Amino acid sequence: MKLIKPFLIFSFTLLLISCFGFSNKKQNDQQAVYVPQEGTKVAYFASGCFWCVEAIFESVEGVEEAVSGYAGGNTLNPTYEKIGTGKTGHAETVAVYYNPKVVSFETLVNVFFGSHDPTTVNGQHPDYGTQYRSIAFYKTAEEKQTIETILTILNDKVYNGKIATEVTKLKRFYKAEEYHQDFEKRNPNQSYVKAVSIPRLNRFKKKFPELLKKDAH
């Protein structure tokens, strides 16, 4: 049966409700709040399920944190349920906080292109819809040039002009709901994670072993 993530999210949400109710009290195992270091930069990428994308970038040496969220559309304050309709214009996006002294923006763009199929229009198997489309965001002219240079080379030498990735200036990034953050790491036995996220992460690790943190899970 084809995996459909929204149904899995619904089941997971019911589990959270049954375990924790609707209490707003801070849990003892709540993760520490990430505080960017001085000099930290942020890059933004969308390439399918953000559970998968977040886990991939967090395995890269020099990446301090990856945050799941939404970008690329015009709808204000999008939610997971709203973007799931495919009508908000937003895509599942990951904000990648990185140390430019350790890893370059160019390397992160190569990670982006090398960790998904950029020729697929509106999706990465098994997730399809505009919310899963491939987007490389830029904030500066230099970042745009880096993305376009790599895209042109890959289109010419690897993908025969079939890359569907959008190169888009970032307008605004909305952080996703807390239960999405570090989802793959916190839920290794969840069915979608086992069938899709972990295999995708492992394919990336096998392809780019030189980029991995020593303690990458």
Side-chain angles (χ1 to χ4, degrees):
M1 181 180 294
K2 184 178 179 180
L3 291 170
I4 301 179
K5 190 168 59 166
F7 290 160
L8 297 175
I9 283 289
F10 178 71
S11 298
F12 177 69
T13 303
L14 290 179
L15 177 61
L16 286 178
I17 292 172
S18 65
C19 292
F20 301 107
F22 292 96
S23 172
N24 290 323
K25 293 181 180 179
K26 185 181 294 185
Q27 301 299 322
N28 292 331
D29 62 349
Q30 185 177 9
Q31 292 183 324
V33 175
Y34 166 71
V35 179
Q37 303 298 308
E38 184 177 355
T40 295
K41 292 188 175 182
V42 192
Y44 300 85
F45 302 101
S47 59
C49 168
F50 49 22
W51 297 347
C52 307
V53 182
E54 180 186 284
I56 287 168
F57 278 104
E58 285 189 337
S59 73
V60 175
E61 185 68 38
V63 172
E64 299 173 359
E65 179 67 290
V67 177
S68 290
Y70 315 114
N74 297 311
T75 301
L76 298 177
N77 303 312
T79 63
Y80 186 71
E81 290 72 21
K82 287 180 180 178
I83 75 150
T85 67
K87 298 178 180 179
T88 67
H90 291 292
E92 292 194 6
T93 301
V94 170
V96 181
Y97 292 78
Y98 68 100
N99 182 343
K101 295 181 180 179
V102 180
V103 62
S104 66
F105 180 77
E106 179 181 0
T107 295
L108 295 179
V109 174
N110 283 319
V111 169
F112 164 73
F113 279 112
S115 60
H116 78 297
D117 181 358
T119 69
T120 303
V121 177
N122 292 336
Q124 294 294 306
H125 185 75
D127 304 302
Y128 295 95
T130 58
Q131 66 269 34
Y132 297 113
R133 69 192 188 275
S134 174
I135 311 174
F137 293 94
Y138 65 88
K139 302 188 299 299
T140 66
E142 182 180 3
E143 289 182 349
K144 181 181 181 182
Q145 182 177 6
T146 297
I147 295 167
E148 290 181 336
T149 297
I150 294 174
L151 188 154
T152 299
I153 292 172
L154 290 174
N155 241 348
D156 180 52
K157 297 183 179 298
V158 181
Y159 294 109
N160 195 29
K162 296 180 180 179
I163 289 180
T165 298
E166 298 176 15
V167 180
T168 302
K169 186 170 185 179
L170 181 78
K171 294 180 180 179
R172 184 171 180 179
F173 173 81
Y174 295 89
K175 183 179 178 181
E177 296 82 348
E178 284 301 322
Y179 67 86
H180 288 298
Q181 308 304 327
D182 290 317
F183 192 92
E184 183 265 355
K185 187 183 299 183
R186 294 185 294 102
N187 301 277
N189 295 315
Q190 198 264 4
S191 58
Y192 180 94
V193 169
K194 291 174 66 176
V196 181
S197 300
I198 291 176
R200 182 173 170 183
L201 174 61
N202 287 337
R203 287 194 298 271
F204 166 75
K205 291 165 68 175
K206 184 176 181 180
K207 188 175 182 179
F208 295 98
E210 71 280 4
L211 299 181
L212 301 177
K213 295 175 180 175
K214 294 181 179 179
D215 59 348
H217 74 285

